[in-house]
Amino acid sequence: MSFRTTASVDYVEDVSPGRGALPPRARYASSDAKSLSLNGSWRFRLSATADAEDDSFAGEGYDAGGWAEVTVPGHWVLQGDGAFGSPIYTNHLYPFPVDPPHVPTENPTGDHLRVFDLPDDWPAQDDGGAVLRFDGVESCARVWLNGTELGEFKGSRLPHEFAVGQLLKPAGNVLAVRVHQWSAGSYLEDQDQWWLPGIFRDVTLLHRPAGSAGDFFVHASYDHTTGEGTLRVDSDVDGRVSVPGLDIDVATGEQVTVAVDPWSAETPKLYDGELVTAGERVPLRIGFRTVALEDGLIKVNGKAILFKGVNRHEWHPEQGRALDVETMREDVLLMKRHNLNAVRTSHYPPHPAFLDLCDEYGLWVIDECDLETHGFTEQGWRDNPVDDDRWTPALLDRAARMVERDKNHPSVVLWSLGNEAGTGRGLTAMAEWIHGRDSSRLVHYEGDWNCRDTDVYSRMYASHEEVERIGRGLDGGAGKRRELPFIQCEYGHAMGNGPGGIADYQRIFEAHDRLQGGFIWEWIDHGIKHPELGYAYGGDFGEELHDGNFVCDGLIFPDRTPSPGLVEYKKVIEPVRIEGDGADGTVRVTNAYDFGDLSHLEFEFSYQVDGLPTGAHTLAVPPLAPGESAEVKLPAAAPDGNGDDVQWTVRALLAEDTAWGPKGHEVAWGQETVSPRTAVTVAASQRPVPGERLITLGPATFDARSGRPTTICGLDVTGLRLDVWRATTDNDDGASWQDDTRYGVLWRKLGLHRMQHRLDAVELADDALTVRARVAPAAAEVGLRTVYRWTSDGTRLKLTVSVTPEGHWTVPLPRLGVRFGLPADAAQEVLYFGGGGEAYPDTRAASMLGQWLPGIDALHTPYVRPQENGARADVRWAELGGLRIEGDPEFWFSARRWTNEQLDTARHLTDLTPGDTLWINLDHGQHGIGSQSCGPGPLPQYFLTAEPTEFSFVFSTTE
Ligand code: IPT
């Protein structure tokens, strides 16, 4: 005999999308109909299973006085100081046994209760109805109003509405919502992010007056050959559509064509209009634009566009996916200020207000459906819901809820079926339905490389070489795919330090028409603010399965501070190219916008000598049309550098305030060296003088036994030696599924983090102190024969390091240089002439030469999981604590209050505590960064190959 005691919760494991909700419809931000926000504090009771409590709490008169409270919108696991369970991060693995549609018995269930009164001015019962709207609940909810059950639904990041008019009372309405963390829907929501149950988007009661608007579809196209826009608003409820700015006043369903300014991400022209039905006035914001697949290209308004995009998850370090509008605006402003023009809403439709902002400020959007079944990859995609007809209604429901909600946004140019869901009939059904419902946009899905259902060939993390091949049309593939444009819906994995190599991708994108750009993975680190750990990531809440800090892979830190990766990306995708062409005093300016000219920019020009600007000039640049270039003569002759570097810098700045950036905001820049410095020479005129324990040479003393400097120019120096180790970055370590070129792993295996320094000789000659050593890891034949040669002219001290690899080196070096310690209080800041901001060989596009004065702490980039960071490129000289260091050639500079080894073992930022030594690295070379935490490693040209090398530094006292 078998029986179940839980009949009342069968819906949780039902593959259907739900019961009782109204059909999906267009979403609009406001209208003259009344609405009541039900956000705020709700009574809350958490149960361990779906059926632990009966539904009596939903009845009127229930006393929930003893319950806890939570804030709606919110996730209960992020509230109550741990009393309500904790977040789980698994990446693509389901955190429960894969037996669809079944979910665990242990199914955290949150009963939410809210009692509300209608405002005094709420219309009377007989004036139409009312609708209760949930904008997002994870993952399954059952709803009651005043004791009457309204229904239940799944589809976490999609809206659900219920008709409630007949149930409302003027006062004391009881709204009860039972939310289950796990449901059949969870199988469709296996996105790489935290599992966060709760009512995490708004709950709103909407009055629906008699004759109010139903669903409506704003069709607003643009004909670039005539400059005219065509508007037609199809509406379930008849009415009129007016656009005063265009003298439009037509009936719904009626088409009108007038001259308009088109909408684009660069020129987000919106016309205010209104849809007026018998019972409601709905403000419209209309953008005219036409999206088409033409000549194998994605064209908007007749022009092929280039996506300079990013994947955006919704994230806030304290609120999780419950974002307020100001946070959304911050994202959009940051994107616009960093030259991004596109967002993929990975991997679900965002809060609708985000799309309003994209319309307003101008961003191309790939709106992605709330669908991912990635965990089925573990079983060869067997039982994948997207290839099982029983699930198709749920998939179609999700597609419809996205398209109907978001169809009136001009910013949305592509619909995406979802992410990482394999292939199957359900996806085809979604694509067919979307194509049929909205022929004005294209359909995207990455998971099917044959592009059976899609209008664009999309891939993720393809190598430079493969992208180039695709660009040349040499990628083979099925017939249909050959005709399609290509995008990388994910590339440049921004986990930790990186991504590297994005400038190289951009060059390839720009070289081939078929390549229409890409979307960096991803926008923000999903770190959770944590009292002891700073920011928590996978495993920090005791999850039995987790993927560590793979959830922290954004271009901005959890607190939305831009990481160096975003600064690099801004430079790589800048819409104006400013390049020198040698010594003849001209600069080449190219307009890399798709639509706009350069009239909104002003150009500023200056020379700098030894990194110090010699005065600013304006540069007259013609208002070039997209794609055009001009050679512009520099308005002044270069100053004489007298042996110092001379560069020019040209900056393109906003000429006026815009919606997203103030006048003077830097959009693009270019820099070129006109004449290089002559490196400092030191005559080796001094003889090292041996003492009992110390050797003196010019301004330095050395330990006689080890040959190591103990003081240089009066500063105590410790531990100076060759250094090849860096605290491996996430991109060095690579993802576990990557091939055998994960150098972070190979370096550690070889022992480069535990190099032994054997002293072979300390030699005193008339003109030099020479220290010979061999630097090598235990158990290996490879080593680096190292010679430190010290000379001095009496005031200055020169160190020349020669390194000769021995044995058979099969890996590049992480870094190559010297490191040493200074007393912790020796310096609080460093003045240097070199590249500003963090840079590595393949992340140095944004490194602008100049004199910079960062504090020591500002030289540390706070990656959520500590790792190598903060190097400054092309440093000619640096001064700190009264010590001046000049390099020949230029060097990489880092300073930190802990050792590389301490950095290497730290798991969280809070593990790093300043010690009594300030550690300086002067590097001749650094290995590239690449993107191997989820993509290809560094390109060969960024390898730091072990080969015979010599470099030198000159130490002196600052003047
Ligand atoms: C790819 C996913 O689409 C994305 O959600 C995220 O997990 C990203 O990788 C890595 O951070 S899937 C990957 C296996 C290529």
Side-chain angles (χ1 to χ4, degrees):
M1 189 181 109
S2 80
F3 62 91
R4 296 190 64 186
T5 56
T6 56
S8 64
V9 295
D10 280 353
Y11 64 93
V12 172
E13 296 185 331
D14 188 339
V15 298
S16 86
R19 226 171 8 95
L22 292 165
R25 63 178 180 125
R27 162 76 188 224
Y28 44 91
S30 67
S31 85
D32 67 341
K34 291 261 177 297
S35 70
L36 176 66
S37 169
L38 297 174
N39 294 347
S41 183
W42 289 50
R43 287 288 179 181
F44 179 73
R45 171 181 68 185
L46 183 64
S47 311
T49 63
D51 61 353
E53 299 283 351
D54 62 23
D55 56 15
S56 58
F57 79 105
E60 287 174 84
Y62 183 88
D63 179 9
W67 289 22
E69 288 182 28
V70 289
T71 300
V72 170
H75 306 277
W76 69 70
V77 290
L78 296 180
Q79 304 187 43
D81 288 327
F84 307 144
S86 25
I88 300 171
Y89 171 58
T90 53
N91 189 358
H92 77 286
L93 297 179
Y94 288 103
F96 46 75
V98 180
D99 182 23
H102 302 293
V103 295
T105 305
E106 296 296 315
N107 187 358
T109 292
D111 289 331
H112 295 67
L113 204 58
R114 162 96 198 227
V115 179
F116 64 93
D117 298 340
L118 294 178
D120 292 341
D121 59 354
W122 193 267
Q125 190 71 282
D126 53 2
D127 182 9
V131 154
L132 183 62
R133 182 177 64 206
F134 295 90
D135 281 314
V137 182
E138 178 168 329
S139 78
C140 171
R142 187 173 174 197
V143 190
W144 297 262
L145 182 64
N146 293 332
T148 299
E149 182 174 350
L150 303 176
E152 106 283 313
F153 63 92
K154 308 182 187 83
S156 299
R157 299 101 200 177
L158 292 163
H160 293 84
E161 289 183 326
F162 295 91
V164 295
Q166 68 294 352
L167 299 174
L168 287 173
K169 310 186 292 191
N173 294 285
V174 179
L175 176 57
V177 186
R178 171 164 286 177
V179 181
H180 307 284
Q181 172 152 24
W182 310 120
S183 70
S186 305
Y187 283 97
L188 305 180
E189 295 173 6
D190 192 26
Q191 293 95 343
D192 176 10
Q193 59 176 346
W194 295 96
W195 298 91
L196 295 175
I199 305 175
F200 73 98
R201 286 186 190 157
D202 312 276
V203 182
T204 316
L205 181 71
L206 302 160
H207 179 233
R208 306 309 298 138
S212 58
D215 185 33
F216 59 90
F217 199 159
V218 177
H219 302 277
S221 60
Y222 179 73
D223 182 342
H224 66 281
T225 62
T226 61
E228 289 174 327
T230 296
L231 177 68
R232 190 186 77 239
V233 178
D234 292 333
S235 173
D236 285 358
V237 176
D238 289 344
R240 290 200 73 78
V241 175
S242 61
V243 186
L246 294 171
D247 278 336
I248 290 176
D249 184 359
V250 293
T252 53
E254 194 181 318
Q255 185 156 304
V256 55
T257 299
V258 294
V260 298
D261 290 329
W263 188 97
S264 77
E266 293 170 12
T267 55
K269 174 67 186 174
L270 292 174
Y271 290 94
D272 287 321
E274 202 174 38
L275 166 66
V276 183
T277 63
E280 190 176 17
R281 309 178 82 89
V282 181
L284 305 176
R285 305 205 78 191
I286 302 168
F288 292 87
R289 83 239 172 322
T290 291
V291 183
L293 185 63
E294 232 175 67
D295 312 323
L297 298 173
I298 303 168
K299 291 193 183 173
V300 180
N301 302 336
K303 178 83 179 57
I305 56 172
L306 187 63
F307 291 120
K308 300 169 175 178
V310 71
N311 284 278
R312 174 181 179 271
H313 267 289
E314 295 181 311
W315 190 249
H316 185 281
E318 284 154 291
Q319 314 300 334
R321 287 189 284 278
L323 264 57
D324 59 25
V325 178
E326 279 326 299
T327 305
M328 300 180 215
R329 190 186 305 276
E330 203 179 329
D331 280 351
V332 170
L333 292 177
L334 274 170
M335 289 178 191
K336 292 293 288 186
R337 288 173 189 159
H338 289 87
N339 293 332
L340 281 88
N341 70 3
V343 191
R344 173 176 177 232
T345 69
S346 54
H347 299 303
Y348 42 80
H351 188 288
F354 180 74
L355 297 178
D356 291 333
L357 296 167
C358 293
D359 293 344
E360 181 182 334
Y361 291 99
L363 287 167
W364 308 118
V365 175
I366 299 184
D367 194 358
E368 190 150 272
C369 198
D370 191 6
L371 173 64
E372 173 158 343
T373 62
H374 205 166
F376 286 86
T377 188
E378 294 292 310
Q379 55 199 61
W381 294 105
R382 263 187 320 286
D383 297 332
N384 186 0
V386 310
D387 201 23
D388 177 338
D389 292 339
R390 286 172 295 180
W391 291 84
T392 304
L395 304 183
L396 289 172
D397 181 74
R398 284 168 189 249
R401 287 188 188 281
M402 168 179 75
V403 171
E404 301 302 2
R405 190 194 77 167
D406 295 342
K407 59 185 180 288
N408 294 330
H409 288 283
S411 55
V412 176
V413 289
L414 275 85
W415 300 115
S416 177
L417 304 179
N419 184 60
E420 294 281 11
T423 55
R425 287 163 288 165
L427 291 166
T428 301
M430 290 171 81
E432 278 171 3
W433 184 87
I434 294 174
H435 275 128
R437 175 64 177 141
D438 180 15
S439 57
S440 71
R441 292 180 176 92
L442 307 179
V443 170
H444 167 272
Y445 175 63
E446 188 273 345
D448 177 10
W449 295 3
N450 293 320
C451 304
R452 179 196 160 110
D453 306 316
T454 60
D455 304 309
V456 45
Y457 177 29
S458 174
R459 290 280 303 281
M460 45 174 78
Y461 310 105
S463 68
H464 297 81
E465 191 257 317
E466 186 177 8
V467 173
E468 171 113 52
R469 227 180 317 122
I470 295 168
R472 294 183 189 280
L474 303 176
D475 56 307
K480 180 187 174 196
R481 185 176 97 192
R482 299 183 64 80
E483 306 302 316
L484 296 183
F486 176 83
I487 63 167
Q488 283 244 71
C489 69
E490 294 178 24
Y491 80 110
H493 201 247
M495 185 178 180
N497 188 335
I502 56 175
D504 307 273
Y505 275 114
Q506 192 64 23
R507 271 192 287 278
I508 299 169
F509 293 156
E510 292 181 8
H512 304 281
D513 290 346
R514 186 188 186 192
L515 309 179
Q516 294 200 262
F519 297 77
I520 294 287
W521 187 268
E522 67 174 307
W523 176 240
I524 186 169
D525 289 339
H526 311 204
I528 296 180
K529 200 160 173 66
H530 189 284
E532 284 93 45
L533 303 175
Y535 291 110
Y537 50 79
D540 289 334
F541 298 100
E543 300 100 300
E544 55 180 23
L545 291 174
H546 67 83
D547 212 354
N549 65 312
F550 204 65
V551 78
C552 294
D553 50 4
L555 291 174
I556 59 176
F557 294 112
D559 66 359
R560 290 190 154 68
T561 311
S563 90
L566 182 59
V567 179
E568 171 82 359
Y569 195 36
K570 175 187 178 184
K571 176 73 175 107
V572 163
I573 57 177
E574 59 191 1
V576 186
R577 298 256 175 268
I578 301 166
E579 296 149 321
D581 59 353
D584 74 346
T586 62
V587 48
R588 185 176 182 79
V589 180
T590 305
N591 178 352
Y593 285 103
D594 288 328
F595 296 95
D597 67 19
L598 301 186
S599 56
H600 63 297
L601 300 174
E602 59 194 13
F603 290 77
E604 197 183 272
F605 155 83
S606 62
Y607 284 110
Q608 65 183 16
V609 177
D610 199 26
L612 284 181
T614 60
H617 313 256
T618 55
L619 189 68
V621 175
L624 302 168
E628 274 183 4
S629 300
E631 306 277 338
V632 183
K633 184 113 193 72
L634 294 178
D640 188 347
N642 289 317
D644 283 333
D645 267 281
V646 180
Q647 278 93 22
W648 59 249
T649 309
V650 171
R651 300 163 198 261
L653 311 172
L654 286 180
E656 302 295 340
D657 290 350
T658 67
W660 50 266
K663 176 179 162 59
H665 166 81
E666 186 177 281
V667 170
W669 58 273
Q671 189 175 59
E672 193 175 61
T673 299
V674 179
S675 54
R677 70 188 173 131
T678 35
V680 58
T681 52
V682 176
S685 60
Q686 301 294 299
R687 158 203 289 266
V689 184
E692 197 180 320
R693 287 175 39 244
L694 295 177
I695 300 166
T696 307
L697 175 63
T701 57
F702 296 81
D703 177 73
R705 202 175 44 78
S706 67
R708 283 202 177 136
T710 49
T711 63
I712 298 179
C713 300
L715 261 187
D716 288 343
V717 171
T718 53
L720 188 145
R721 63 184 203 193
L722 194 79
D723 198 4
V724 297
W725 185 245
R726 72 182 185 197
T728 54
T729 66
D730 295 315
N731 282 316
D732 289 336
D733 291 334
S736 53
W737 68 82
Q738 302 267 10
D739 60 15
D740 55 2
T741 60
R742 298 162 58 203
Y743 288 121
V745 175
L746 297 179
W747 290 334
R748 215 175 284 272
K749 205 166 146 205
L750 183 59
L752 298 188
H753 59 310
R754 48 172 169 78
M755 295 294 255
Q756 298 184 10
H757 295 250
R758 188 183 76 206
L759 178 62
D760 289 342
V762 178
E763 299 168 356
L764 280 67
D766 279 356
D767 59 351
L769 166 66
T770 303
V771 180
R772 298 182 190 279
R774 188 172 187 277
V775 182
E781 56 141 3
V782 296
L784 300 168
R785 200 158 279 285
T786 306
V787 180
Y788 309 84
R789 185 165 191 273
W790 300 92
T791 55
S792 175
D793 63 3
T795 52
R796 290 179 291 188
L797 177 74
K798 180 171 181 176
L799 166 63
T800 304
V801 183
S802 314
V803 180
T804 313
E806 293 180 339
H808 182 54
W809 281 87
T810 55
V811 295
L813 297 170
R815 65 160 12 112
L816 181 67
V818 293
R819 76 144 175 217
F820 56 91
L822 298 177
D825 58 4
Q828 299 305 323
E829 59 191 20
V830 48
L831 176 69
Y832 74 93
F833 173 31
E838 178 184 290
Y840 289 83
D842 55 349
T843 63
R844 58 187 293 169
S847 171
M848 184 195 268
L849 289 174
Q851 279 197 27
W852 305 94
L853 182 63
I856 298 295
D857 295 331
L859 288 170
H860 174 71
T861 310
Y863 295 114
V864 172
R865 185 191 72 84
Q867 53 196 276
E868 166 66 22
N869 71 79
R872 299 302 193 259
D874 297 316
V875 176
R876 275 77 167 148
W877 54 259
E879 295 181 354
L880 75 169
L883 188 65
R884 179 176 168 92
I885 307 162
E886 285 159 278
D888 183 16
E890 290 80 26
F891 59 102
W892 303 85
F893 178 87
S894 324
R896 52 180 59 99
R897 300 199 178 279
W898 34 79
T899 61
N900 292 329
E901 290 72 15
Q902 285 166 328
L903 187 63
D904 200 16
T905 51
R907 289 190 66 247
H908 293 92
L909 286 167
T910 45
D911 294 334
L912 293 172
T913 41
D916 55 11
T917 306
L918 175 60
W919 289 101
I920 311 294
N921 272 91
L922 310 176
D923 289 311
H924 177 63
Q926 278 272 0
H927 186 62
I929 296 292
S931 199
Q932 216 173 1
S933 56
C934 194
L939 289 168
Q941 61 266 36
Y942 305 118
F943 273 46
L944 180 60
T945 309
E947 61 192 7
T949 309
E950 190 173 282
F951 49 92
S952 64
F953 304 102
V954 173
F955 301 88
S956 57
T957 305
T958 56
E959 285 135 29

